[in-house]
Amino acid sequence: METAGGRKAKEESAVSAIGPGVVIRGEVSCAIDLQIEGEVHGDVRCPTLLLGEGGVVNGSVHAERVRLAGRVEGTIDAGDLAVEATAYIEGDVTYARLKVTPGGRVRGRMEPRDEAAAAAPEPAPLKLVEPMSEAPTPQAIRVFGE
């Protein structure tokens, strides 16, 4: 039997997905993180949005953490915003922290959130997939035979 705390932990690690080939017309609102590989024609509200390379949102995005590799046509209001090299945004963007990978494109106005939000203590660093700067150190493997 799970405790309320156990259910809470599972909800915090849960991710809902809209897969490739799926088209949703209307608002999407989640209490858990959301990954979009398909299309949403409407507003999106969730704690964390992961928009894949083939993902499209035609509407506004409201999330505390956003990582975009696909296309957004609409406004974005985000705490942490990461724009990957394949991302395209057409619309105004409000953010607290921003990272744009070379190649990521934004066509619209970029505005940081107000000074009170910017003065808050800095949260943990954004966790993004980045290319390795150097090869990992090789490890020795020993095989013992009979």
Side-chain angles (χ1 to χ4, degrees), residues 1-52:
M1 180 173 199
E2 293 185 41
T3 65
R7 282 192 299 269
K8 179 75 172 166
K10 283 187 178 181
E11 287 176 10
E12 288 175 1
S13 65
V15 176
S16 186
I18 297 172
V22 176
V23 177
I24 295 179
R25 297 188 191 286
E27 182 176 323
V28 175
S29 184
C30 298
I32 60 174
D33 298 346
L34 178 62
Q35 180 171 351
I36 299 175
E37 299 292 337
E39 295 182 29
V40 174
H41 299 275
D43 297 345
V44 175
R45 293 179 180 277
C46 57
T48 300
L49 174 63
L50 306 169
L51 185 66

Side-chain angles (χ1 to χ4, degrees), residues 79-132:
D80 293 340
L81 174 61
V83 180
E84 300 290 339
T86 56
Y88 177 79
I89 301 168
E90 187 169 324
D92 295 341
V93 178
T94 304
Y95 60 90
R97 295 188 328 145
L98 174 68
K99 179 172 182 174
V100 180
T101 303
R105 296 175 294 156
V106 179
R107 183 176 181 165
R109 191 176 63 199
M110 303 284 288
E111 297 246 353
R113 284 187 176 168
D114 63 30
E115 293 300 318
E122 186 169 320
L126 288 172
K127 293 181 181 177
L128 303 176
V129 177
E130 296 186 15
M132 294 174 28

